[in-house]
Structures are given as structure tokens and as C-alpha cells.
């Protein structure tokens, strides 16, 4: 009896591992073809001015529209894309598609400051990363000042590469943001060395800012530090009016969050922009 049970468990265990391995292999095979099959989709989330409520810019957030599994969020396939280096071609596609979309909106007459695109640390360590950005800027015709690259503190793993790259990009006029600020292991001295334009407060702090005195201290400190360092500051993950009022009181510049809009497909952004233009006319 015991032996049978043990056998049963063993069987179950290996099936589970096999399932995990075959799911991963299936995802990897699918990911290799995802771009050409047009399964990679970009959603856009408005970046909103805290004091005026105007939409200044958008962040591009990728999704994989898998034929069998449906819409896969980035955290479920970006790590695999990084591991397999598929993030290099996929990331280049995301960058150029986001720039093209930004130009479509500005050509429609919407005045937007920039488009923000997330860059993985794996992309940022490729020796030809700055040349790739130059190529995308040339091919799409975007003004480099309208492009904002979001980096996380993980790029600091390799500061000898990252810092010269950041200076090259700044020299071209590209904007740089530090994403998920406060969650990594960065030393504050890097804030002086990185030629940044923007700090993004991680949503883990924003979301509990009204409940936790400690998170309040973190949020206040990041905002005040950003203001002192002459950096733009954006709070991520704003879901309630109370959180927004708090940020207004602390003089945070911009916010993103479900309170205004979740990330949405480009077709829905157009509706939102038309609505916004309607408001400014009346
Ligand atoms: P992130 O860049 O920090 O993006 C913010 C995440 O917070 C997004 O999740 C967004 O949908 C979510 N979010 C926005 N507002 C709210 C809110 O009010 N409440 C809550 N609970 N969440 C909110 P998403 O789209 O699932 O992306 C997760 C992460 O995946 C991103 O974090 C970024 O690190 C990565 N990612 C997304 N797109 C790309 C990409 O094109 N390239 C790379 N390398 N990474 C990407
Ligand atoms: Mg981001
Ligand atoms: Mg973030
Ligand atoms: Mg985040």
C-alpha cells in the first residue's frame, strides 16, 4: 500500500516537473516567433500631471497575445526573454513600435512630451545598445528628446558599462528615468553619477502611503530628494484619490495608475486623447 502511494507521488511529481519544462519550452518556441506573428502587443499607460491633470506622456507596457494562453503579462515572459536573449530583438521591436506610435499621435495634433519605454538590464549590457537606439531614432524620425528610456537599478550591476552608455544617450538628447526607485540596492552616490531626468517611485510605496508611516517617509524623502536634485518625479500605481491628494501635497510632479487609467491598447488611447482635446477646447 505504502509503496503504491509512494509510486503515485513520484509519478505526480515527475509529471509536474515535465509539465513545467514543456510549458517553458513551449513558451520559448512561441516567443521566437511571436514578433513575426504579430503576437507582441504594446499597451500604453498615461503619465499625468499631478497639479493640472493633463496627460503629458505615455509608458509603453508590453503584452504577449499568445494564441492558446491568451494575454500574457510581461513579468511572465520577460525573464524568459532575458534568459534566451530574445529580449534583444523583441526589445528593439518594442522601442521602434513605441516611437512610431508616438509620432502617429503627435501627427494627429496631440501635444505630448515623450514616450517612455522600459529597457531590460540585459538589453542595456549589449555592447551595441546605444547604436541600436541611434538606428531606431533615425529609422522612425523621432526627436530624441521625445524618447524616455526607463532603466531599473539592476543596470547598476555593471556600472562600468551603464554609466558611459547613459552619458552617450544623454549626449544624443534621450531622456533617462530610474524605474521602481527604492526597491533595488542602489547606493545614493549613483544618483549623482547617473545623468537622470526622472525618478519613478515604485508602486509598493505609493499604494500604502496613506496606511503606513514608513512608506510615507519613503515617498516624502524620494520626492524631496528629486526636487533638490532637479529631477522630475513620478509616482507609479496611484489607485485612489486620497493617494493623489497626498502626492499633490508633497509636490510630486506626475503620476501613473489605475485612478486615471490602466495600460490600454493604442486604439483606446486615441479615444482618451480626443476626449482630452475636447476638454481643452471648451
Ligand atoms: P514597470 O515598468 O514598473 O511598470 C509598472 C507596472 O505597474 C505595470 O505592470 C503597470 O500595468 C502596473 N500598474 C500601473 N498602474 C497600476 C496601479 O494603479 N495599480 C497596480 N496594481 N498596478 C499598476 P505590467 O504592465 O504588468 O508590467 C510589469 C513590469 O514588466 C514593468 O514594471 C516592467 O518592469 C516590465 N515591462 C513591461 N513592459 C516591458 C517592456 O517593453 N520591456 C521590458 N524590458 N520590460 C517591460
Ligand atoms: Mg516602467
Ligand atoms: Mg516601475
Ligand atoms: Mg514596478
Amino acid at each position: 500500500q505504502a509503496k503504491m502511494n509512494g509510486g503515485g507521488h513520484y509519478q505526480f511529481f515527475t509529471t509536474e516537473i515535465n509539465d513545467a519544462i514543456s510549458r517553458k519550452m513551449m513558451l520559448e518556441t512561441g516567443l521566437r516567433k511571436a514578433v513575426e506573428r504579430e503576437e507582441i502587443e504594446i499597451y500604453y499607460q498615461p503619465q499625468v500631471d499631478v497639479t493640472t491633470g493633463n496627460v503629458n506622456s505615455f509608458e509603453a507596457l508590453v503584452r504577449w497575445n499568445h494564441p492558446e494562453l491568451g494575454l500574457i503579462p510581461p513579468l511572465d515572459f520577460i525573464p524568459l526573454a532575458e534568459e534566451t536573449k530574445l529580449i534583444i530583438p523583441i526589445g528593439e521591436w518594442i522601442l521602434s513600435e513605441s516611437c512610431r506610435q508616438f509620432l502617429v499621435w503627435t501627427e494627429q495634433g496631440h501635444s505630448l512630451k515623450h514616450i517612455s519605454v522600459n529597457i531590460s538590464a540585459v538589453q542595456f549590457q549589449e555592447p551595441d545598445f546605444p547604436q541600436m537606439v541611434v538606428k531606431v531614432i533615425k529609422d522612425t524620425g523621432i526627436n530624441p528628446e521625445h524618447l524616455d528610456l526607463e532603466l531599473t537599478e539592476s543596470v547598476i550591476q555593471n556600472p562600468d558599462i551603464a554609466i558611459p552608455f547613459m552619458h552617450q544617450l544623454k549626449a544624443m538628447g534621450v531622456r533617462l528615468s530610474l524605474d521602481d526607485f527604492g526597491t533595488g540596492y542602489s547606493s545614493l552616490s549613483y544618483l549623482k553619477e547617473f545623468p537622470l531626468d526622472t525618478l519613478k517611485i515604485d508602486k509598493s510605496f505609493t499604494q500604502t502611503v496613506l496606511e503606513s508611516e514608513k512608506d510615507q517617509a519613503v515617498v516624502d524623502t524620494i520626492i524631496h530628494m528629486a526636487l533638490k536634485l532637479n529631477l522630475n518625479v513620478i509616482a507609479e500605481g496611484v489607485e485612489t484619490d486620497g493617494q493623489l491628494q497626498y502626492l499633490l501635497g508633497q509636490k510630486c510632479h506626475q503620476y501613473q495608475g489605475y485612478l486615471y487609467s490602466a495600460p490600454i491598447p493604442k486604439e483606446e488611447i486615441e479615444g482618451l486623447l480626443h476626449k482630452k482635446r475636447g476638454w481643452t477646447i471648451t
Side-chain angles (χ1 to χ4, degrees), residues 1-232:
Q1 184 70 35
K3 207 178 165 193
M4 252 178 74
N5 270 346
H9 276 119
Y10 183 71
Q11 187 75 37
F12 176 71
F13 189 57
T14 48
T15 307
E16 213 170 51
I17 290 178
N18 283 336
D19 282 355
I21 292 172
S22 59
R23 181 185 154 93
K24 196 175 166 192
M25 281 172 60
M26 181 181 86
L27 286 180
E28 187 178 329
T29 315
L31 201 51
R32 286 187 191 282
K33 306 236 165 89
V35 171
E36 62 188 64
R37 289 182 180 164
E38 300 183 16
E39 292 167 7
I40 303 291
E41 224 181 300
I42 304 174
Y43 279 33
Y44 298 89
Q45 186 178 39
Q47 299 184 322
V48 188
D49 188 294
V50 169
T51 36
T52 65
N54 285 337
V55 175
N56 291 324
S57 42
F58 292 97
E59 177 176 4
L61 292 153
V62 72
R63 274 95 183 88
W64 178 12
N65 206 345
H66 191 281
E68 286 134 50
L69 303 173
L71 211 60
I72 307 181
L75 295 178
D76 290 355
F77 71 91
I78 295 286
L80 179 65
E82 290 177 331
E83 198 184 305
T84 54
K85 291 268 192 163
L86 286 166
I87 193 66
I88 308 298
I90 293 174
E92 181 171 347
W93 182 85
I94 294 168
L95 184 63
S96 66
E97 182 60 23
S98 305
C99 291
R100 264 184 250 286
Q101 190 55 56
F102 176 85
L103 290 169
V104 168
W105 289 328
T106 54
E107 277 153 22
Q108 287 171 352
H110 304 295
S111 78
L112 296 171
K113 292 202 170 113
H114 60 259
I115 181 81
S116 295
V117 182
N118 291 283
I119 302 296
S120 123
V122 173
Q123 280 177 284
F124 209 71
Q125 274 154 30
E126 279 295 289
D128 63 354
F129 180 78
Q131 287 90 304
M132 185 276 280
V133 177
V134 169
K135 184 176 178 292
V136 169
I137 288 170
K138 279 199 180 134
D139 290 352
T140 59
I142 195 170
N143 177 340
E145 287 165 17
H146 293 158
L147 177 61
D148 176 76
L149 301 182
E150 293 195 2
L151 311 169
T152 59
E153 291 164 75
S154 58
V155 299
I156 299 161
Q157 281 163 2
N158 215 332
D160 296 343
I161 296 182
I163 294 173
F165 275 14
M166 290 170 101
H167 284 286
Q168 275 185 59
L169 292 161
K170 269 326 296 173
M172 287 155 50
V174 172
R175 300 172 55 92
L176 299 175
S177 295
L178 196 54
D179 204 351
D180 302 344
F181 185 69
T183 60
Y185 300 96
S186 67
S187 133
L188 288 180
S189 68
Y190 281 119
L191 275 187
K192 293 190 306 180
E193 282 188 62
F194 287 176
L196 293 170
D197 299 280
T198 302
L199 287 186
K200 296 193 75 175
I201 304 172
D202 192 70
K203 61 173 178 283
S204 61
F205 304 119
T206 315
Q207 290 186 329
T208 46
V209 77
L210 297 180
E211 289 94 57
S212 152
E213 267 177 41
K214 285 184 180 170
D215 284 344
Q216 215 164 78
V218 172
V219 168
D220 295 1
T221 305
I222 296 175
I223 294 172
H224 295 153
M225 188 171 60
L227 297 178
K228 286 269 184 198
L229 292 169
N230 250 326
L231 297 172
N232 182 36

